[in-house]
């Protein structure tokens, strides 16, 4: 595996291949790669210095004129400084799509979660100006993909493209299953529903999304193998993202608000960014804010809850994207991250806050092929 | 003297390459008679799969980067880098696919001739007589 990843990385560094390789009339292959180094000034950060490598491959096979199959998988290391043998292989997308006519497509299979751009294009760094996403949204209820069906409908009006996407499916995830924990939770969702609406014009894009899901939570004891039900939870998530371009300036902003009925924290996150393109260089700046409101803790049931824990993160980032070639980009950024955790005693109203500030440097190489 | 001639000849070759007029063509059997540049942009950026007559389009292009860059720059205003960024999002989220590439211009014209739903662009000079219908000329 080590040799394979090294070979892929060398290929990225020294190649300038055309994007989208058409193998024959029916089969197209694509791929992406990321090499990312991370250095933090925070001595308590377990990943103070980190090197991540990741590659992804996608194949699309046209079965008939209207029917096609697509598969996408990714291979990534958690920290290549540690060991290149510690890697994850993940199925990202696996679906059949059928063109129904009138710009309407039905597809069924495995999908990344819709509603927010960074959920769909999570690993494909080349599509983004930044070294890292302003908001750390990698999924909901512990999962970032679902199995089900989607209908996509595009229509043009007054030279603007309108796009509507309906998603329905099931998903499951393991929460907190780490080697040092005896008990972990599972989340099973059998009615995930999403609606995403996009307007795309020459100088602006607007993306509006809503996601709804009910999950069954279970507690698993690794030693005894016993699973006990831990109730149900409901999720409602709204997202709004926009992008406006004026000459060489681009302004982006997004907000996401997730309400979860119990156990898992409510989420509220937003970001705004400004970038300016000068030929191969795109300097940028962004600000992001994330707030997680945990459910009140009840140490001695059935007594009422007494502790409320809120966590948050503010991040400023300054960075530069440089186009190395038509399919690769080198990026550098400096970020100041300020994390806080507030414990509030609901009865006495006494609040204690712990803060962690850190300066983070990132150097990233993104490729698509 | 040759020292001065070489750059001039090279400049002429380069300017000829980039100024080669391009025509958007369909089969003579197609019911479409013209197409706007905006519609063309939406078709070739996979924002719509429908031809102006409502039929599903078979979108093709020559496998030649000089014609590809000239066409996309003219029709979409995007450079190769911008297009790659655009296609990366479209392809990896399953929202669209770029036009299928055909290696030879002659094969491309032949395919379009026999498929009323096919649309492509080729250098105008490669079209013989009235073998296909020209919808738009780009300069």
């Amino acid at each position: 595996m080590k040799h394979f990843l090294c070979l892929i990385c060398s290929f990225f560094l020294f190649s300038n291949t055309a994007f989208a390789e058409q193998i024959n009339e029916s089969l197209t292959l694509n791929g992406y790669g990321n090499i990312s180094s991370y250095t933090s000034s925070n001595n308590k950060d377990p990943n103070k210095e980190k090197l991540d490598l990741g590659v992804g491959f996608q194949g699309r096979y046209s079965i008939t004129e209207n029917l096609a199959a697509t598969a996408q998988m990714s291979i990534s290391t958690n920290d290549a400084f540690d060991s290149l043998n510690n890697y994850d292989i993940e199925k990202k997308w696996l679906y059949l799509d059928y063109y129904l006519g009138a710009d309407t497509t039905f597809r069924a299979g495995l999908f990344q979660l819709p509603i927010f751009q960074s959920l769909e294009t999570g690993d494909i760094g080349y599509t983004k100006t930044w070294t890292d996403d302003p908001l750390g949204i990698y999924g909901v209820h512990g999962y970032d993909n679902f199995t089900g069906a989607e209908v996509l409908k595009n229509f043009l009006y007054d030279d603007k493209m309108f796009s509507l996407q309906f998603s329905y499916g099931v998903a499951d995830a393991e929460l907190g299953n780490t080697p040092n924990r005896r008990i972990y939770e599972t989340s099973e969702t059998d009615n995930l529903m999403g609606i995403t609406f996009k307007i795309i014009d020459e100088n602006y894009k607007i993306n509006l999304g809503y996601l709804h899901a009910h999950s069954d939570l279970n507690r698993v004891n690794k030693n005894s193998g016993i699973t006990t039900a831990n109730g149900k939870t409901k999720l409602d998530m709204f997202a709004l993202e926009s992008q406006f371009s004026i000459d060489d300036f681009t302004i982006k902003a997004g907000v996401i608000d997730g309400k979860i009925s119990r156990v898992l924290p409510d989420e509220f996150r937003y970001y705004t960014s400004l970038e300016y393109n000068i030929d191969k260089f795109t300097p940028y700046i962004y600000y992001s804010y994330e707030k997680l409101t945990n459910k009140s803790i009840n140490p001695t049931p059935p007594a009422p809850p007494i502790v409320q824990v809120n966590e948050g993160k503010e991040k400023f980032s300054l960075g530069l994207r440089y186009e190395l070639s038509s399919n690769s980009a080198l990026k550098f950024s400096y970020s100041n991250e300020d994390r806080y955790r507030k414990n509030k005693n609901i009865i006495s109203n006494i609040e204690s806050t712990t803060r962690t500030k850190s300066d983070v440097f990132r150097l990233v190489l993104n490729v698509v092929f | 003297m040759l020292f001065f001639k070489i750059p001039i000849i090279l400049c002429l070759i380069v300017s000829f390459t980039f100024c080669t007029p391009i025509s958007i063509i369909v089969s003579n059997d197609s019911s479409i008679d013209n197409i706007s540049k905006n519609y063309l942009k939406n078709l070739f950026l996979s924002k719509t799969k429908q031809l102006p007559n409502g039929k599903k389009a078979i979108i093709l292009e020559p496998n030649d980067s000089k014609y590809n860059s000239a066409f996309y720059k003219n029709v979409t205003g995007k450079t190769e880098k911008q297009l790659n960024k655009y296609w990366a999002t479209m392809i990896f989220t399953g929202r669209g696919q770029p036009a299928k590439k055909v290696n030879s211009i002659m094969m491309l014209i032949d395919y379009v001739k026999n498929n009323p739903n096919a649309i492509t662009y080729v250098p105008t000079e490669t079209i013989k007589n009235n073998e296909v219908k020209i919808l738009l000329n780009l300069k």
Side-chain angles (χ1 to χ4, degrees):
Chain A
M1 192 62 202
K2 186 173 175 174
H3 293 112
F4 173 70
L5 278 176
C6 288
L7 189 72
I8 294 284
C9 294
S10 318
F11 172 73
F12 288 160
L13 285 167
F14 301 111
S15 76
N16 185 15
T17 54
F19 183 46
E21 194 61 44
Q22 198 176 298
I23 304 298
N24 58 41
E25 264 190 34
S26 306
L27 180 65
T28 315
L29 288 182
N30 296 99
Y32 58 86
N34 308 309
I35 303 174
S36 164
S37 89
Y38 167 100
T39 310
S40 168
S41 66
N42 180 6
N43 290 325
K44 290 178 187 164
D45 188 341
N47 299 312
K48 191 170 156 43
E49 283 185 344
K50 209 166 101 143
L51 179 72
D52 291 332
L53 306 175
V55 289
F57 300 96
Q58 176 172 298
R60 181 177 166 84
Y61 185 76
S62 299
I63 300 160
T64 67
E65 194 187 315
N66 291 324
L67 181 68
T70 302
Q72 190 190 120
M73 59 171 283
S74 77
I75 309 167
S76 57
T77 62
N78 288 325
D79 185 1
F81 281 141
D82 235 16
S83 165
L84 273 175
N85 296 319
N86 181 13
Y87 60 89
D88 294 324
I89 298 180
E90 195 184 348
K91 284 196 300 279
K92 289 282 182 182
W93 301 76
L94 183 64
Y95 61 88
L96 282 172
D97 63 84
Y98 185 76
Y99 181 73
L100 298 166
D103 279 335
T104 308
T105 304
F106 171 81
R107 55 190 197 179
L110 175 78
F111 306 97
Q112 294 295 293
L113 286 178
I115 83 161
F116 208 65
Q117 188 77 33
S118 65
L119 286 169
E120 281 194 313
T121 56
D123 286 348
I124 307 145
Y126 183 81
T127 60
K128 301 160 194 178
T129 308
W130 319 299
T131 55
D132 59 319
D133 281 315
L135 303 180
I137 306 165
Y138 304 112
V140 290
H141 271 193
Y143 46 77
D144 55 14
N145 56 36
F146 73 99
T147 306
E150 291 196 323
V151 176
L152 287 91
K153 165 79 183 161
N154 286 355
F155 47 98
L156 294 167
Y157 178 74
D158 197 19
D159 286 334
K160 293 175 191 62
M161 189 186 97
F162 295 81
S163 172
L164 203 50
Q165 178 178 354
F166 296 98
S167 313
Y168 186 84
V170 298
D172 54 65
E174 288 182 354
L175 309 168
N177 186 4
T178 54
N180 54 347
R181 288 188 67 180
R182 197 168 49 86
I183 292 172
Y184 67 93
E185 290 204 336
T186 61
S187 157
E188 287 172 21
T189 302
D190 57 9
N191 61 350
L192 181 139
M193 284 178 278
I195 300 174
T196 311
F197 178 63
K198 290 175 197 278
I199 306 172
I200 301 172
D201 196 18
E202 197 63 38
N203 299 316
Y204 67 85
K205 282 183 201 168
I206 296 172
N207 186 90
L208 197 60
Y210 170 66
L211 195 72
H212 175 85
H214 281 272
S215 295
D216 287 320
L217 297 174
N218 294 302
R219 201 165 272 177
V220 181
N221 186 315
K222 277 198 249 183
N223 291 351
S224 62
I226 295 170
T227 300
T228 47
N230 190 26
K232 292 177 186 295
T233 185
K234 188 180 91 174
L235 165 91
D236 285 293
M237 189 171 259
F238 296 91
L240 173 65
E241 225 174 351
S242 60
Q243 176 181 324
F244 296 89
S245 299
I246 308 155
D247 297 327
D248 295 322
F249 285 98
T250 304
I251 299 164
K252 292 173 186 165
V255 59
I256 190 157
D257 188 15
K259 296 272 181 275
I260 302 176
S261 64
R262 56 182 290 273
V263 184
L264 295 163
D266 289 342
E267 303 175 12
F268 177 70
R269 307 166 197 254
Y270 67 84
Y271 79 89
T272 179
S273 87
L274 175 69
E275 53 194 64
Y276 180 66
N277 179 248
I278 319 156
D279 192 26
K280 289 183 172 182
F281 295 91
T282 310
Y284 69 83
I285 182 167
Y286 75 65
Y287 169 78
S288 67
Y289 175 78
E290 303 181 38
K291 183 182 168 190
L292 300 179
T293 308
N294 285 287
K295 302 294 176 284
S296 302
I297 298 168
N298 183 354
T300 51
I306 56 164
V307 182
Q308 168 82 60
V309 181
N310 292 333
E311 292 169 87
K313 186 166 95 172
E314 262 190 302
K315 187 159 79 167
F316 274 107
S317 190
L318 268 172
L320 179 70
R321 174 184 168 119
Y322 174 71
E323 308 296 335
L324 277 176
S325 69
S326 60
N327 63 335
S328 62
L330 187 66
K331 303 172 191 172
F332 173 77
S333 73
Y334 158 76
S335 309
N336 181 268
E337 299 182 5
D338 183 3
R339 290 168 191 269
Y340 69 85
R341 185 182 167 90
K342 285 181 186 169
N343 292 326
K344 185 179 173 185
N345 187 307
I346 297 166
I347 299 163
S348 64
N349 223 14
I350 295 170
E351 199 174 86
S352 65
T353 306
T354 50
R355 296 193 94 90
T356 315
K357 288 191 177 188
S358 50
D359 296 313
V360 174
F361 295 91
R362 288 182 177 88
L363 182 64
V364 175
L365 176 69
N366 296 133
V367 183
V368 284
F369 55 94
Chain B
M1 199 57 189
L2 188 67
F3 180 76
F4 293 102
K5 277 183 185 169
I6 290 171
I8 294 169
I9 292 166
L10 278 175
C11 283
L12 282 172
I13 292 169
V14 169
S15 59
F16 172 78
T17 304
F18 286 98
C19 294
T20 304
I22 285 174
S23 297
I24 316 307
I25 57 164
V26 289
S27 160
N28 283 325
D29 298 331
S30 166
S31 59
I32 311 164
D33 293 321
N34 52 58
I35 195 164
S36 73
K37 222 177 180 181
N38 257 326
Y39 203 99
L40 207 57
K41 181 180 80 180
N42 290 326
L43 262 182
F44 278 83
L45 290 181
S46 202
K47 289 179 179 175
T48 181
K49 292 182 176 71
Q50 284 191 107
L51 289 166
N53 60 7
K55 297 275 169 60
K56 190 191 175 192
I58 302 169
I59 305 164
L60 307 162
E61 65 185 7
N63 192 6
D64 190 325
S65 60
K66 66 175 184 284
Y67 298 130
N68 302 152
S69 342
F71 171 80
Y72 283 101
K73 188 76 195 155
N74 190 316
V75 172
T76 70
K78 288 181 192 285
T79 61
E80 195 187 353
K81 281 179 295 219
Q82 289 168 325
L83 279 169
N84 276 351
K85 206 169 162 184
Y86 173 81
W87 283 122
T89 307
M90 294 292 276
I91 291 170
F92 292 122
T93 57
R95 292 184 178 277
Q97 293 290 318
K100 280 192 176 162
K101 293 198 187 299
V102 177
N103 284 330
S104 126
I105 302 266
M106 288 305 115
M107 276 168 65
L108 192 55
I109 294 174
D110 270 349
Y111 187 90
V112 167
K113 249 197 291 192
N114 301 313
N115 289 278
N117 298 332
I119 184 165
T120 191
Y121 58 89
V122 290
T124 310
E125 65 197 9
T126 57
I127 305 166
K128 290 175 203 153
N129 305 320
N130 292 322
E131 60 179 344
V132 285
K133 200 189 280 183
I134 296 178
L135 297 183
L136 189 68
N137 284 313
L138 302 172
K139 282 174 186 163

